[in-house]
Amino acid sequence: QVQLQESGPGLVKPSQTLSLTCTVSGGSISSGGYYWSWIRQHPGKGLEWIGYIYYSGSTYYNPSLKSRVTISVDTSKNQFSLKLSSVTAADTAVYYCAREERYYYDSSGLDYWGQGTLVTVSS
Amino acid sequence: EIVMTQSPATLSVSPGERATLSCRASQSVSSNLAWYQQKPGQAPRLLIYGASTRATGIPARFSGSGSGTEFTLTISSLQSEDFAVYYCQQYNNWPLYTFGQGTKLEIK
């Protein structure tokens, strides 16, 4: 059974960089056909997709956040990470990592999710 | 960016009855649409992908239909555990994914 677990600081100061890691267990992040995403949810609001990474290191980011987002992968640790720079209070949200199974343009959706971690941006 | 619009924002239904939730895309997404269920304090759970294919372990009372710009999630006989928020997500415009704003399904 695949499991994902987010970890990182729950409090970040304005203008600093938010850093989170997602640890994958029960499966290899290096298995082809899986894309590893970050999604966030502002308090009481809907879901916003941040970006994804493939095990090869290929990434794609939401254009609305692209200038501030970096997603990286460490296959040796079976982890992928999110960095969001120059944060403001508007970045306060629950951050989720998730897996998507995809073969070219054929996707099976975001089938495994972490439980989410609340990150608050405040001084 | 493809905008996903869900309706209604809140749906009140009695247990045992049928619930019908709608999702509309601002342009065609073919059948590249998923539905998720989210309960308070939990991560979203994949219900449906490909507009109509149930994910592993999802009960048969959940069904999805539609293509192009109009989609429906139907829950045939509501159980107490089905009261939650439901989101649709398009992945046709890969790799830029967008979600609807959600429909809250509450007990009548």
Side-chain angles (χ1 to χ4, degrees):
Chain A
Q1 176 77 345
V2 174
Q3 293 185 322
L4 288 77
Q5 176 75 55
E6 304 91 350
S7 59
L11 181 64
V12 181
K13 289 182 168 52
S15 79
Q16 293 190 343
T17 297
L18 178 159
S19 296
L20 296 174
T21 295
C22 182
T23 300
V24 179
S25 58
S28 173
I29 204 168
S30 299
S31 298
Y34 297 108
Y35 290 75
W36 306 91
S37 283
W38 287 98
I39 298 109
R40 70 180 182 179
Q41 186 170 36
H42 295 102
K45 302 297 184 183
L47 300 163
E48 179 182 28
W49 179 77
I50 299 170
Y52 75 63
I53 191 164
Y54 195 56
Y55 77 95
S56 62
S58 173
T59 57
Y60 187 85
Y61 305 136
N62 189 324
S64 68
L65 297 168
K66 184 177 181 179
S67 63
R68 300 193 292 129
V69 172
T70 302
I71 298 176
S72 58
V73 65
D74 187 336
T75 55
S76 67
K77 294 183 179 179
N78 227 31
Q79 295 175 335
F80 63 108
S81 298
L82 169 70
K83 291 188 185 297
L84 182 65
S85 64
S86 304
V87 297
T88 69
D91 295 308
T92 294
V94 175
Y95 287 77
Y96 295 100
C97 56
R99 185 191 86 165
E100 177 193 15
E101 183 175 3
R102 172 176 285 276
Y103 182 74
Y104 290 99
Y105 289 92
D106 189 15
S107 172
S108 301
L110 295 156
D111 58 355
Y112 287 96
W113 294 64
Q115 86 282 3
T117 187
L118 174 63
V119 179
T120 302
V121 178
S122 175
S123 56
Chain B
E1 176 180 315
I2 298 177
V3 178
M4 308 301 293
T5 303
Q6 292 185 240
S7 61
T10 303
L11 182 62
S12 299
V13 183
S14 299
E17 294 189 340
R18 174 189 297 257
T20 302
L21 290 68
S22 297
C23 176
R24 173 177 293 180
S26 60
Q27 63 189 76
S28 177
V29 298
S30 186
S31 294
N32 295 312
L33 184 110
W35 289 94
Y36 300 85
Q37 175 194 69
Q38 186 178 34
K39 297 179 180 179
Q42 296 185 16
R45 173 194 182 197
L46 176 66
L47 299 175
I48 301 283
Y49 64 92
S52 61
T53 302
R54 278 190 302 277
T56 303
I58 301 304
R61 64 180 182 273
F62 291 91
S63 63
S65 63
S67 66
T69 61
E70 301 283 345
F71 300 88
T72 300
L73 174 70
T74 301
I75 311 171
S76 60
S77 178
L78 280 165
Q79 307 296 304
S80 58
E81 62 266 29
D82 299 335
F83 293 97
V85 179
Y86 291 82
Y87 294 95
C88 61
Q89 176 223 353
Q90 69 79 23
Y91 49 89
N92 187 67
N93 192 26
W94 184 61
L96 177 56
Y97 303 155
T98 48
F99 292 87
Q101 81 281 14
T103 290
K104 181 179 181 180
L105 180 58
E106 63 176 26
I107 301 175
K108 186 174 182 180

